[in-house]
Amino acid sequence: QNMVYFCNPSKMKKYLINSPSSRSYTQRVFRQVHPADIPFPSFLKSPKTCSVFGVPMVYGQPNHGTDYGPQMLRKFGLRGELEELGWTVRDNGDIAIDPPHENDPKPDSLLSGKTKNCYNVGKVCQAVHELTFYAASEGNFALTLGGDHSIGAGTVAGILKARPNTGVIWVDAHADINTPELSTSGNMHGMPVAFLTRLVEPTLFPGWDWLESTPPLHPAQLVYIGLRDVDPAERKILKDLGITCFTMQHVDRYGIAGVMERTFDQLYGRPLHCSYDIDAVDPLHAPSTGTAVRGGLTFREAHYLVEAVSGTGQLGSLDMVEVNPGLGSESENKETVEMALALIDSAMGSRIL
């Protein structure tokens, strides 16, 4: 069976040094962090504490490299910058993930090829949901570093278990709401929202029965921002469920400020979780990601989004996913990691003034 457990970050040292994608990361572009007086969520405890979990998940999609994301964000200064912003940091290291095995349980033969690495992804998400539930139940901010976006099924499930009224802001170029029957690729990083909203029956898929013990994500609790590459079947699902979606066309029409105002109207009064796929950002600013699509959020739009969310005083958890230092050149990888880290800083309270 797949084993999922915590490992000490120091034990990852050899892995990181030997990784060709991380070998050249010896310097980083200087970037200032400016603490600001922003509202603090009433449902989090004081002193403000951030529980960090690395989930080096790669099996929800076909590209190697997303497993390097969590350690690269740490290497570039995550802990120091969070502490500079006034957070007490509890870095729990990375979850260690065994690869899929041939003898892993598989779903019905008709769906087996439609859910690649189903059992592995499900068990990892189960562990992630337990960890985020514990952090949220303790009154801590839960910061999850991916890894591919399949882990969003685990983070959101854990947060909903602790705070069932949470509103979810899914920032992504893609809707990630394909069902196994409708998926053309079988890659599970394109399915987490389908599992969360129960478009998929968890008990039919090995490794996913745990999801039944968590509250489903109601369409009224979900807002998408940044969509621009949506499969035909997903378009129908989004319309049928009446989910609030702000595509890049809406960003063009209303401006990012207008999009955020409408988002907060939809989710008013709820604790907030932001699941941020770096591919929502235009590849000009974040090129090292597996499913890059032109026409994304600009540098400032990407920052304003998380600044606005944290400015509500309701943000209690954040995912940063699909950073893939294994795909681009050294400069592209560095730029992408820097962008992701800067967005985390903005979500955690950094401002220009």
Side-chain angles (χ1 to χ4, degrees):
Q1 290 187 345
N2 298 81
M3 297 298 293
V4 183
Y5 51 92
F6 276 129
C7 63
N8 189 311
S10 65
K11 294 180 180 179
M12 297 288 286
K13 187 175 182 181
K14 181 178 179 182
Y15 171 76
L16 287 170
I17 291 174
N18 291 341
S19 163
S21 299
S22 62
R23 193 176 298 138
S24 59
Y25 285 94
T26 56
Q27 293 181 338
R28 51 188 296 268
V29 176
F30 180 71
R31 185 185 64 258
Q32 292 182 326
V33 175
H34 301 286
D37 185 16
I38 62 172
F40 184 69
S42 61
F43 52 86
L44 297 183
K45 71 178 182 182
S46 295
K48 59 183 187 179
T49 301
C50 178
S51 291
V52 180
F53 306 101
V55 188
M57 184 59 170
V58 71
Y59 301 113
Q61 48 82 58
N63 298 306
H64 291 288
T66 52
D67 46 339
Y68 301 154
Q71 289 293 356
M72 289 299 96
L73 289 167
R74 293 188 181 95
K75 190 179 180 74
F76 274 50
L78 174 68
R79 185 187 190 101
E81 294 181 10
L82 291 177
E83 290 176 343
E84 190 173 347
L85 291 168
W87 290 90
T88 297
V89 179
R90 292 183 181 175
D91 191 339
N92 299 279
D94 286 356
I95 294 176
I97 303 171
D98 279 350
H101 301 291
E102 289 185 7
N103 60 349
D104 284 344
K106 293 179 174 57
D108 181 276
S109 59
L110 294 176
L111 297 175
S112 184
K114 293 285 196 172
T115 50
K116 297 175 182 176
N117 306 320
C118 175
Y119 182 75
N120 171 275
V121 175
K123 298 306 287 184
V124 172
C125 286
Q126 180 180 11
V128 172
H129 118 273
E130 292 170 354
L131 298 171
T132 53
F133 169 70
Y134 178 78
S137 298
E138 290 284 294
N140 296 337
F141 189 102
L143 174 60
T144 306
L145 312 174
D148 69 57
H149 214 170
S150 65
I151 68 172
T155 59
V156 173
I159 295 300
L160 289 176
K161 195 171 183 179
R163 306 170 190 147
N165 194 40
T166 294
V168 176
I169 301 174
W170 198 273
V171 186
D172 204 317
H174 312 89
D176 296 345
I177 199 169
N178 266 309
T179 64
E181 294 88 347
L182 298 174
S183 174
T184 58
S185 70
N187 296 325
M188 296 201 71
H189 73 160
M191 304 181 196
V193 182
F195 276 84
L196 289 165
T197 55
R198 302 302 192 272
L199 288 172
V200 175
E201 172 52 53
T203 59
L204 297 179
F205 296 88
W208 289 89
D209 54 318
W210 59 270
L211 194 58
E212 281 202 310
S213 68
T214 69
L217 177 63
H218 191 277
Q221 293 176 258
L222 174 63
V223 173
Y224 284 100
I225 301 176
L227 295 178
R228 58 191 183 278
D229 185 12
V230 182
D231 293 341
E234 290 181 305
R235 289 167 57 91
K236 185 177 188 306
I237 290 171
L238 295 173
K239 291 178 180 179
D240 288 348
L241 293 182
I243 296 173
T244 299
C245 302
F246 295 107
T247 68
M248 287 309 300
Q249 184 181 13
H250 294 101
V251 175
D252 293 339
R253 182 186 305 168
Y254 302 128
I256 192 63
V259 164
M260 298 317 297
E261 289 170 3
R262 289 165 173 81
T263 296
F264 301 143
D265 286 344
Q266 170 77 24
L267 301 177
Y268 179 77
R270 300 179 184 270
L272 297 176
H273 172 84
C274 183
S275 195
Y276 208 125
D277 188 324
I278 198 67
D279 74 17
V281 182
D282 192 272
L284 178 66
H285 307 293
S288 293
T289 187
T291 48
V293 186
R294 292 187 302 173
L297 298 169
T298 66
F299 184 92
R300 275 306 310 156
E301 287 170 343
H303 277 274
Y304 184 89
L305 190 158
V306 285
E307 290 168 356
V309 175
S310 66
T312 64
Q314 292 294 101
L315 181 64
S317 45
L318 172 71
D319 310 331
M320 180 56 66
V321 301
E322 297 285 356
V323 175
N324 192 331
L327 288 180
S329 65
E330 178 182 348
S331 62
E332 289 172 335
N333 295 338
K334 186 172 184 178
E335 184 171 15
T336 305
V337 175
E338 286 281 354
M339 184 70 191
L341 186 54
L343 292 172
I344 293 172
D345 288 343
S346 290
M348 303 302 282
S350 182
R351 296 292 186 271
I352 295 171
L353 290 175

